Coordinates of all heavy atoms in Angstrom, one line a residue:
Chain B
R386 N 57.4 4.7 -24.8 CA 57.0 4.4 -23.4 C 55.6 3.8 -23.5 O 55.3 2.8 -22.7 CB 56.9 5.7 -22.6 CG 58.3 6.3 -22.4 CD 58.2 7.6 -21.6 NE 59.5 8.2 -21.4 CZ 59.8 9.2 -20.6 NH1 58.8 9.7 -19.9 NH2 61.0 9.7 -20.5
H387 N 54.7 4.3 -24.4 CA 53.4 3.8 -24.5 C 53.4 2.3 -25.0 O 52.7 1.4 -24.4 CB 52.6 4.6 -25.4 CG 51.2 4.1 -25.7 ND1 50.7 4.1 -27.0 CD2 50.3 3.6 -24.9 CE1 49.5 3.6 -26.9 NE2 49.2 3.2 -25.7
R388 N 54.2 2.0 -26.0 CA 54.3 0.7 -26.5 C 54.9 -0.3 -25.4 O 54.5 -1.4 -25.3 CB 55.2 0.6 -27.7 CG 54.6 1.3 -28.9 CD 53.4 0.6 -29.5 NE 53.0 1.3 -30.7 CZ 53.5 1.0 -31.9 NH1 54.4 0.1 -32.1 NH2 53.1 1.7 -33.0
W389 N 55.8 0.2 -24.7 CA 56.4 -0.6 -23.6 C 55.4 -0.9 -22.6 O 55.2 -2.1 -22.1 CB 57.6 0.1 -23.0 CG 58.2 -0.7 -21.9 CD1 59.1 -1.7 -22.1 CD2 58.0 -0.7 -20.5 NE1 59.4 -2.3 -20.9 CE2 58.7 -1.7 -19.9 CE3 57.2 0.2 -19.7 CZ2 58.7 -1.9 -18.5 CZ3 57.2 0.0 -18.4 CH2 57.9 -1.0 -17.8
A390 N 54.6 0.1 -22.2 CA 53.6 -0.1 -21.1 C 52.3 -0.8 -21.5 O 51.8 -1.6 -20.8 CB 53.3 1.2 -20.4
E391 N 51.9 -0.4 -22.7 CA 50.5 -0.9 -23.1 C 50.5 -1.5 -24.5 O 49.4 -1.6 -25.0 CB 49.5 0.3 -23.1 CG 49.2 0.8 -21.7 CD 48.2 1.9 -21.8 OE1 48.0 2.5 -22.8 OE2 47.6 2.2 -20.7
G392 N 51.6 -1.9 -25.0 CA 51.6 -2.4 -26.4 C 50.7 -3.5 -26.6 O 50.5 -4.4 -25.8
R393 N 50.0 -3.5 -27.8 CA 49.1 -4.6 -28.1 C 49.9 -5.8 -28.8 O 50.9 -5.6 -29.3 CB 48.0 -4.1 -29.1 CG 47.0 -3.1 -28.5 CD 45.9 -2.9 -29.5 NE 46.4 -2.8 -30.8 CZ 46.4 -1.6 -31.5 NH1 46.0 -0.5 -30.9 NH2 46.8 -1.6 -32.7
A394 N 49.3 -6.9 -28.7 CA 49.9 -8.1 -29.2 C 50.3 -8.0 -30.7 O 51.3 -8.5 -31.1 CB 49.0 -9.3 -29.0
D395 N 49.5 -7.2 -31.5 CA 49.8 -7.1 -32.9 C 50.8 -5.9 -33.3 O 51.0 -5.7 -34.4 CB 48.5 -7.1 -33.7 CG 47.7 -5.8 -33.4 OD1 47.9 -5.3 -32.3 OD2 46.8 -5.5 -34.2
D396 N 51.3 -5.3 -32.3 CA 52.2 -4.2 -32.5 C 53.6 -4.7 -33.0 O 54.0 -5.7 -32.4 CB 52.4 -3.3 -31.3 CG 51.3 -2.4 -31.0 OD1 50.6 -2.0 -32.0 OD2 51.1 -2.0 -29.8
L397 N 54.2 -4.0 -33.9 CA 55.5 -4.5 -34.4 C 56.5 -4.3 -33.3 O 57.5 -5.1 -33.1 CB 55.9 -3.6 -35.6 CG 55.5 -4.1 -36.9 CD1 55.9 -3.1 -38.0 CD2 56.0 -5.4 -37.3
F398 N 56.3 -3.3 -32.5 CA 57.3 -3.0 -31.4 C 56.4 -2.9 -30.1 O 55.5 -2.2 -30.0 CB 58.0 -1.6 -31.6 CG 58.8 -1.6 -32.8 CD1 58.3 -1.1 -34.0 CD2 60.1 -2.1 -32.8 CE1 59.1 -1.0 -35.1 CE2 60.9 -2.1 -33.9 CZ 60.4 -1.5 -35.1
R399 N 56.8 -3.7 -29.1 CA 56.2 -3.7 -27.8 C 57.1 -4.1 -26.8 O 58.1 -4.8 -27.1 CB 54.9 -4.5 -27.8 CG 55.1 -5.9 -28.2 CD 53.7 -6.6 -28.5 NE 52.9 -6.7 -27.3 CZ 52.7 -7.9 -26.6 NH1 53.2 -9.0 -27.2 NH2 52.0 -7.9 -25.6
G400 N 56.8 -3.8 -25.5 CA 57.6 -4.2 -24.4 C 56.8 -5.0 -23.4 O 55.6 -5.2 -23.6
G401 N 57.5 -5.5 -22.4 CA 56.9 -6.4 -21.5 C 56.1 -5.7 -20.4 O 55.2 -6.2 -19.8
G402 N 56.3 -4.4 -20.3 CA 55.6 -3.6 -19.3 C 56.0 -4.0 -17.9 O 56.9 -4.8 -17.6
D403 N 55.3 -3.4 -16.9 CA 55.5 -3.7 -15.5 C 54.2 -3.8 -14.8 O 53.5 -2.8 -14.7 CB 56.4 -2.5 -14.9 CG 56.7 -2.7 -13.4 OD1 55.9 -3.4 -12.7 OD2 57.7 -2.1 -13.0
R404 N 53.9 -5.0 -14.4 CA 52.5 -5.3 -13.8 C 52.2 -4.5 -12.6 O 51.1 -4.0 -12.5 CB 52.4 -6.8 -13.5 CG 52.3 -7.6 -14.7 CD 52.1 -9.0 -14.3 NE 51.3 -9.7 -15.3 CZ 50.8 -10.9 -15.2 NH1 51.0 -11.6 -14.1 NH2 50.1 -11.5 -16.1
L405 N 53.2 -4.3 -11.7 CA 52.9 -3.6 -10.5 C 52.7 -2.1 -10.8 O 51.7 -1.5 -10.3 CB 54.1 -3.7 -9.5 CG 53.9 -3.0 -8.2 CD1 52.8 -3.6 -7.4 CD2 55.2 -3.1 -7.4
E406 N 53.5 -1.6 -11.7 CA 53.3 -0.2 -12.0 C 52.0 0.0 -12.7 O 51.3 1.0 -12.5 CB 54.5 0.3 -12.9 CG 54.5 1.8 -13.2 CD 55.7 2.2 -14.1 OE1 55.6 2.0 -15.3 OE2 56.7 2.7 -13.5
A407 N 51.6 -0.9 -13.6 CA 50.4 -0.8 -14.3 C 49.2 -0.8 -13.3 O 48.2 -0.1 -13.5 CB 50.2 -2.0 -15.3
L408 N 49.3 -1.6 -12.3 CA 48.2 -1.7 -11.3 C 48.2 -0.3 -10.5 O 47.1 0.2 -10.3 CB 48.5 -2.8 -10.3 CG 47.5 -3.0 -9.2 CD1 46.2 -3.5 -9.8 CD2 48.0 -4.0 -8.1
V409 N 49.3 0.2 -10.1 CA 49.3 1.5 -9.4 C 48.7 2.6 -10.3 O 47.9 3.4 -9.9 CB 50.8 1.9 -9.0 CG1 50.8 3.3 -8.5 CG2 51.3 0.9 -8.0
M410 N 49.0 2.5 -11.6 CA 48.5 3.5 -12.5 C 47.0 3.4 -12.6 O 46.3 4.4 -12.7 CB 49.2 3.4 -13.9 CG 50.5 4.0 -14.0 SD 50.4 5.8 -13.8 CE 52.2 6.2 -13.6
R411 N 46.5 2.1 -12.7 CA 45.1 1.9 -12.8 C 44.3 2.5 -11.6 O 43.3 3.2 -11.7 CB 44.8 0.5 -13.0 CG 44.5 0.1 -14.4 CD 44.3 -1.3 -14.7 NE 43.2 -1.9 -14.0 CZ 43.0 -3.2 -14.0 NH1 43.8 -4.0 -14.6 NH2 41.9 -3.7 -13.4
L412 N 44.9 2.2 -10.4 CA 44.3 2.8 -9.2 C 44.3 4.3 -9.2 O 43.3 4.9 -8.9 CB 45.1 2.2 -7.9 CG 44.9 0.8 -7.6 CD1 45.8 0.3 -6.5 CD2 43.4 0.5 -7.2
W413 N 45.4 4.8 -9.6 CA 45.6 6.3 -9.7 C 44.5 6.9 -10.6 O 43.9 7.9 -10.4 CB 47.0 6.6 -10.1 CG 47.2 8.1 -10.1 CD1 47.6 8.9 -9.1 CD2 47.0 8.9 -11.3 NE1 47.7 10.2 -9.6 CE2 47.3 10.3 -10.9 CE3 46.7 8.7 -12.6 CZ2 47.2 11.3 -11.8 CZ3 46.6 9.8 -13.5 CH2 46.9 11.1 -13.1
G414 N 44.3 6.2 -11.7 CA 43.3 6.6 -12.7 C 41.9 6.6 -12.1 O 41.1 7.5 -12.4
E415 N 41.6 5.7 -11.3 CA 40.3 5.6 -10.6 C 40.2 6.8 -9.7 O 39.1 7.5 -9.6 CB 40.1 4.3 -9.8 CG 40.0 3.1 -10.7 CD 39.0 3.3 -11.9 OE1 37.8 3.7 -11.6 OE2 39.3 3.0 -13.0
L416 N 41.3 7.2 -9.0 CA 41.3 8.3 -8.1 C 41.0 9.6 -8.9 O 40.3 10.5 -8.5 CB 42.6 8.4 -7.3 CG 42.9 7.3 -6.3 CD1 44.2 7.6 -5.6 CD2 41.8 7.2 -5.3
A417 N 41.7 9.7 -10.0 CA 41.7 10.9 -10.8 C 40.3 11.2 -11.3 O 39.9 12.4 -11.5 CB 42.7 10.8 -12.0
R418 N 39.5 10.2 -11.5 CA 38.1 10.4 -12.0 C 37.0 10.4 -10.9 O 35.9 10.5 -11.2 CB 37.8 9.5 -13.2 CG 37.7 8.1 -12.9 CD 37.1 7.4 -14.1 NE 37.1 5.9 -13.9 CZ 36.6 5.1 -14.8 NH1 36.2 5.5 -15.9 NH2 36.7 3.8 -14.6
R419 N 37.4 10.1 -9.7 CA 36.5 10.1 -8.6 C 36.9 11.0 -7.5 O 37.7 10.7 -6.6 CB 36.3 8.7 -8.0 CG 35.7 7.7 -9.0 CD 35.5 6.4 -8.2 NE 34.6 5.5 -9.0 CZ 35.1 4.7 -10.0 NH1 36.3 4.7 -10.3 NH2 34.2 3.9 -10.7
P420 N 36.5 12.3 -7.6 CA 36.9 13.3 -6.6 C 36.8 12.9 -5.2 O 37.6 13.2 -4.4 CB 36.1 14.5 -7.0 CG 35.6 14.3 -8.4 CD 35.5 12.8 -8.6
N421 N 35.7 12.2 -4.8 CA 35.6 11.8 -3.4 C 36.6 10.8 -3.0 O 37.2 10.9 -1.9 CB 34.2 11.2 -3.2 CG 33.1 12.3 -3.3 OD1 33.4 13.5 -3.1 ND2 31.9 11.9 -3.7
L422 N 36.9 9.9 -3.9 CA 37.9 8.9 -3.6 C 39.3 9.5 -3.5 O 40.1 9.2 -2.7 CB 37.9 7.8 -4.7 CG 38.2 6.4 -4.4 CD1 37.2 5.9 -3.3 CD2 38.1 5.5 -5.7
Y423 N 39.5 10.5 -4.4 CA 40.8 11.3 -4.5 C 41.0 12.0 -3.1 O 42.0 11.9 -2.5 CB 40.6 12.3 -5.6 CG 41.8 13.2 -5.9 CD1 42.9 12.7 -6.7 CD2 41.9 14.5 -5.5 CE1 43.9 13.5 -7.1 CE2 43.0 15.3 -5.8 CZ 44.0 14.8 -6.6 OH 45.1 15.6 -6.9
Q424 N 39.9 12.6 -2.7 CA 39.9 13.3 -1.4 C 40.2 12.3 -0.2 O 41.0 12.6 0.6 CB 38.6 14.0 -1.2 CG 38.5 14.9 0.0 CD 39.5 16.0 -0.1 OE1 39.6 16.7 -1.1 NE2 40.2 16.3 1.0
G425 N 39.6 11.2 -0.3 CA 39.8 10.2 0.8 C 41.2 9.7 0.8 O 41.8 9.6 1.9
A426 N 41.8 9.4 -0.4 CA 43.2 8.9 -0.5 C 44.1 10.0 0.1 O 45.1 9.7 0.8 CB 43.5 8.6 -1.9
R427 N 43.8 11.2 -0.2 CA 44.6 12.3 0.3 C 44.6 12.4 1.8 O 45.6 12.7 2.4 CB 44.1 13.6 -0.3 CG 45.1 14.7 -0.1 CD 44.6 16.0 -0.7 NE 45.6 17.0 -0.5 CZ 45.9 17.7 0.6 NH1 45.1 17.5 1.6 NH2 46.9 18.6 0.6
H428 N 43.4 12.2 2.4 CA 43.4 12.1 3.9 C 44.3 11.1 4.5 O 45.1 11.4 5.4 CB 41.9 11.8 4.3 CG 41.0 13.0 4.4 ND1 41.3 14.1 5.0 CD2 39.8 13.1 3.8 CE1 40.3 15.0 4.8 NE2 39.3 14.4 4.1

Side-chain angles (χ1 to χ4, degrees):
Chain B
R386 293 176 182 193
H387 176 223
R388 293 289 185 88
W389 180 82
E391 289 184 342
R393 292 192 316 256
D395 60 343
D396 282 334
L397 276 174
F398 298 95
R399 56 193 289 254
D403 178 333
R404 287 184 148 186
L405 182 64
E406 191 179 76
L408 181 68
V409 170
M410 281 293 169
R411 261 174 63 189
L412 289 172
W413 181 87
E415 292 310 312
L416 296 180
R418 67 171 172 176
R419 290 188 170 81
N421 291 334
L422 216 56
Y423 184 83
Q424 185 64 45
R427 190 179 187 281
H428 277 308

